[in-house]
Amino acid sequence: MDPFRGQGGIQMLLTAEQEAQSIVASAKSLKMGRLKQAKDEADREATLYRSHMEAEYQKTISETSGSSGSNAKRLEEETDLKIQNLKKSAARVSSNIVGMLIKYATTVPT
């Protein structure tokens, strides 16, 4: 065997190994870049979804609190109206009731 030929073969193997390492390093770098890009995209989508859901929640809260305020006002008005009707009814029959009470208090059963 020719000693230079063996030396040349080793040199070719070393060169091929260096090229392979370079290709692997480049592939790892591309993979890491793509993973970072995918993570950034997922973070953006999650943030967008979170803000959308928060807006929907705030809209629901404002709709329900607004209607509960109007419901409370409506109930208060209905209650006031019922109280006024009861006072009118009591005023109408109070003289009859007072008369009945005086009659029973002053009448002695025999």
Side-chain angles (χ1 to χ4, degrees), residues 5-75:
R5 185 173 175 197
Q7 204 57 338
I10 293 174
Q11 187 61 37
M12 279 182 23
L13 285 174
L14 289 173
T15 303
E17 184 181 357
Q18 287 176 350
E19 286 179 21
Q21 286 178 352
S22 173
I23 291 171
V24 168
S26 175
K28 283 183 181 180
S29 175
L30 289 173
K31 178 183 173 185
M32 294 305 291
R34 180 62 188 125
L35 285 174
K36 184 178 182 325
Q37 181 183 6
K39 181 184 178 297
D40 291 343
E41 288 175 11
D43 286 343
R44 271 193 304 259
E45 286 181 18
T47 302
L48 182 64
Y49 180 75
R50 188 177 298 118
S51 65
H52 173 72
M53 294 307 291
E54 179 67 24
E56 288 291 323
Y57 174 71
Q58 292 299 330
K59 180 181 174 185
T60 304
I61 292 294
S62 67
E63 287 174 356
T64 57
S65 67
S67 64
S68 69
S70 64
N71 284 341
K73 185 176 180 181
R74 181 182 54 81
L75 288 174

